[in-house]
Amino acid sequence: VQLVESGGGLVQPGGSLRLSCAASGFVFSNSWMSWLRQAPGKEREGVASVYTAGGSTYYVDSVKGRFTISQDTAKKTLYLHMNSLISDDTGMYYCAASDRRFSRVPRVQDFDYWGQGTQVTVS
């Protein structure tokens, strides 16, 4: 299994970025996939999740209306479109996946596969 993130960088407040996560080695079309982030000195938190088979999406309150998670099943790629970025969005962003069945949005510790992360700095 491999998850490879890209698209991070330095952006000014109010700017936008699009993160990508190229996936391989598991059934992308029937999995939970999420973007999570970790700021210095803080715990890793889930930002946005999608159940790729149904397309249902979930967001942490702090990013609702600003971030959009999407998928391209044919390309096995997950995206995170981030708009109106603020300094609190700064952190390492990780793509994570699980092909297990959950009746709820997976928690951080539930994910089986992780990418290496991509840094987002809003300053």
Side-chain angles (χ1 to χ4, degrees):
V1 174
Q2 196 169 24
L3 298 173
V4 180
E5 303 101 331
S6 61
L10 173 64
V11 63
Q12 293 182 343
S16 299
L17 282 175
R18 187 186 77 165
L19 306 183
S20 299
C21 172
S24 61
F26 65 99
V27 182
F28 181 92
S29 59
N30 192 20
S31 301
W32 278 99
M33 296 199 70
S34 286
W35 288 98
L36 302 97
R37 67 186 177 189
Q38 188 165 20
K42 294 187 177 181
E43 293 185 353
R44 194 169 297 188
E45 66 168 349
V47 174
S49 300
V50 61
Y51 182 57
T52 58
S56 298
T57 57
Y58 305 88
Y59 300 91
V60 68
D61 286 346
S62 60
V63 308
K64 285 180 180 177
R66 300 188 298 120
F67 290 11
T68 302
I69 189 171
S70 65
Q71 63 193 76
D72 185 328
T73 302
K75 294 182 178 179
K76 296 184 180 180
T77 301
L78 183 74
Y79 301 100
L80 185 67
H81 306 261
M82 305 186 294
N83 297 318
S84 302
L85 285 160
I86 60 177
S87 58
D88 285 351
D89 295 320
T90 294
M92 186 69 76
Y93 282 70
Y94 298 91
C95 173
S98 177
D99 47 17
R100 290 184 285 156
R101 296 293 178 263
F102 294 96
S103 59
R104 49 163 174 75
V105 178
R107 302 185 183 101
V108 173
Q109 61 268 31
D110 292 329
F111 289 100
D112 303 302
Y113 314 125
W114 290 84
Q116 81 288 350
T118 185
Q119 178 69 36
V120 172
T121 303
V122 184
S123 177

